[in-house]
C-alpha cells in the first residue's frame, strides 16, 4: 500500500510540475504580449489557459481518487490536501496571466502601458516569470533555498506595485484614464501572481519542515 | 460510523454558516465605509478579518481531521473537499471586503469614489451584500433556487463592473488619477467577491445535483 501511495504521489508531483511549467510559459508570453502590444501572442496565452484549467481539474480528480482509494493519513493526507491547494493556486496564476494578456489585446493597437512605466512593468513581468520558474524547480526538487528566494522576489514585486501607484498618481506622467485603469489592473495582476507563488512556496515549506514559517 | 460522520458534517456546515455570516457583515460594513468615507467602520472591518482567517484555518483543520479519522468515501469525501474549497472562497471574500475598507481608509478624509460613480458603487456593494446573504442561506438550507439567484446577481454585478470602466474612461467625469485608481480597484474587488460567491453556489449545486451546471 505504501508503495502504491508513493507512486500516486509521484504522479501528483509530475502533474503539478507540468501545470507549473505551463503557467511559467503563460506568464512569460503574457509579459511579452503586454510589453510589446503583440496581440498574436496575447491570443495564444488566452487560448492556452483552458488547457491549464483542464489539467488542474484532472489533477484534482486524481487527488480525490487517491484520498478515496488509499485513504492516506497524517503527513500523506496533508500532501494530498496541499496538492489540491497548489493546483488551485496554479490555476489562479494562469488566470492572472490571461488577464494581463487580455489587457494587451483589449487596448491594441495602443499600448496598455503609459510611457513612464514601460521599464517598471517589464521588471514586474520578469519577477513573475522568475517566481514561476522557481516554483517549477521547487515542485521538482523541494530545495528549501528556493522558498526564501521566492519570498525575496515577492518583496521586490510589492515594492514595484507601490511604485506603479506612486507614478500613476504623480503629475509627471501625462497619462490618460485608460492608461491609469490598465496600469492599476496590470500591477494588481502581477502582485496577485506573486502572492500565489508565495502561497505555493509556503505549502511546500510546510511539507518539508512541518511549520508554516 | 455513519452517525459520527453526520455529526461531523453538521459541525462543518455550522462553521461554514458562521464564517459566511461574518463575511456578510464584513462586506456590509466595507460598503458603508467606502460609500460614506467612514474610517472608523473601515478599521473595524480591517481588524475583524483576522477573526475570519482564524475560523477558516480551524475549519480546514477540522476537515482534515475528519478526512484522517473517518476516511469518508464517494459523496462524503466530496463534501469534505468541497468544504475546504468553500472555506478558501469565504476567506478570500473577507480579504476583498478588507481591501474595499482599506481603500476608504487610505483616501480618508477624501472620498475614494468620484462623484459620478457614487450610485454605481452603492449598487455594487448592495449586490455583494445580497449575494453574501444568499450564500449564508444556501449553506444553511441548500435551497437550489438560491443558486440561480446568486448567478443572476452576479450578472448584474458584471454589468456594473463594465459600466464603471465606461464611466471612468469617458470624458464626462472630472476624475483625478487617484479616483481612477480607486474606482478601478474597488470595482475589481466587488466583481471578484461576486465570483467567489458564484463559486460557492456552484460547489453546493454540485452536492445537490451531482453536476456542475
Amino acid at each position: 500500500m505504501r508503495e502504491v501511495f508513493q507512486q500516486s504521489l509521484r504522479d501528483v508531483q509530475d502533474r503539478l510540475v507540468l501545470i507549473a511549467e505551463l503557467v511559467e510559459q503563460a506568464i512569460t508570453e503574457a509579459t511579452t504580449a503586454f510589453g510589446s502590444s503583440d496581440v498574436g501572442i496575447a491570443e495564444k496565452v488566452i487560448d492556452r489557459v483552458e488547457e491549464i484549467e483542464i489539467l488542474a481539474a484532472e489533477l484534482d480528480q486524481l487527488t480525490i481518487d487517491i484520498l478515496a482509494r488509499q485513504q492516506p493519513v497524517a503527513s500523506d493526507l496533508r500532501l494530498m490536501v496541499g496538492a489540491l491547494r497548489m493546483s488551485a493556486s496554479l490555476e489562479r496564476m494562469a488566470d492572472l496571466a490571461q488577464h494581463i494578456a487580455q489587457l494587451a489585446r483589449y487596448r491594441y493597437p495602443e499600448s496598455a502601458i503609459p510611457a513612464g512605466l514601460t521599464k517598471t512593468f517589464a521588471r514586474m513581468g520578469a519577477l513573475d516569470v522568475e517566481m514561476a520558474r522557481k516554483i517549477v524547480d521547487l515542485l521538482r526538487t523541494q530545495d528549501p533555498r528556493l522558498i526564501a528566494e521566492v519570498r525575496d522576489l515577492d518583496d521586490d514585486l510589492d515594492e514595484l506595485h507601490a511604485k506603479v501607484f506612486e507614478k500613476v498618481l504623480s503629475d509627471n506622467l501625462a497619462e490618460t484614464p485608460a492608461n491609469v485603469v490598465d496600469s492599476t489592473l496590470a500591477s494588481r495582476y502581477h502582485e496577485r501572481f506573486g502572492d500565489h507563488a508565495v502561497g505555493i512556496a509556503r505549502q511546500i515549506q510546510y511539507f518539508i519542515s512541518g511549520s508554516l514559517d
Side-chain angles (χ1 to χ4, degrees), chain A:
Chain A
M1 192 67 178
R2 183 74 204 156
E3 204 169 302
V4 175
F5 183 76
Q6 289 299 335
Q7 181 53 47
S8 299
L9 198 57
R10 272 191 296 275
D11 193 3
V12 168
Q13 185 189 8
D14 288 347
R15 286 168 186 243
L16 281 170
V17 169
L18 171 64
I19 296 171
E21 283 170 344
L22 293 172
V23 167
E24 183 195 335
Q25 194 182 346
I27 191 68
T28 303
E29 289 174 355
T31 298
T32 303
F34 189 72
S36 60
S37 305
D38 187 323
V39 78
I41 299 180
E43 281 176 354
K44 215 171 103 187
V45 176
I46 293 163
D47 291 344
R48 209 175 306 132
V49 164
E50 203 190 330
E51 186 191 343
I52 297 177
E53 280 168 10
I54 292 168
L55 289 170
E58 285 172 0
L59 171 56
D60 291 353
Q61 190 52 57
L62 173 70
T63 309
I64 293 169
D65 288 348
I66 295 169
L67 284 172
R69 288 198 200 149
Q70 306 186 29
Q71 307 194 329
V73 292
S75 65
D76 291 347
L77 173 61
R78 291 191 170 280
L79 280 171
M80 288 299 115
V81 172
L84 285 172
R85 288 190 176 138
M86 291 190 285
S87 156
S89 288
L90 288 169
E91 199 180 336
R92 194 70 206 120
M93 288 162 87
D95 284 344
L96 291 163
Q98 188 183 43
H99 290 341
I100 292 167
Q102 280 165 336
L103 282 179
R105 185 176 65 174
Y106 188 72
R107 204 60 66 196
Y108 180 82
E110 307 282 309
S111 169
I113 315 178
L117 284 170
T118 309
K119 275 191 194 166
T120 306
F121 277 113
R123 182 85 191 110
M124 287 188 103
L127 285 169
D128 274 350
V129 168
E130 211 177 329
M131 289 174 96
R133 187 157 41 229
K134 285 191 193 294
I135 291 299
V136 171
D137 290 345
L138 188 52
L139 285 166
R140 203 179 265 141
T141 65
Q142 286 92 50
D143 179 346
R145 282 170 303 186
L146 292 164
I147 296 166
E149 288 171 22
V150 168
R151 286 192 166 151
D152 288 347
L153 290 169
D154 192 52
D155 289 343
D156 294 348
L157 195 57
D158 287 346
E159 267 177 42
L160 290 175
H161 184 49
K163 205 172 140 191
V164 168
F165 291 123
E166 263 171 47
K167 279 224 184 186
V168 163
L169 299 181
S170 76
D171 289 325
N172 305 330
L173 267 185
E175 74 284 322
T176 63
N179 277 158
V180 175
V181 167
D182 292 349
S183 302
T184 301
L185 289 176
S187 187
R188 170 83 184 152
Y189 297 149
H190 281 298
E191 185 233 354
R192 289 293 302 152
F193 188 98
D195 286 347
H196 284 289
V198 170
I200 294 172
R202 276 169 62 91
Q203 192 71 52
I204 295 174
Q205 179 177 38
Y206 182 52
F207 298 146
I208 299 173
S209 70
S211 142
L212 271 172
D213 274 298

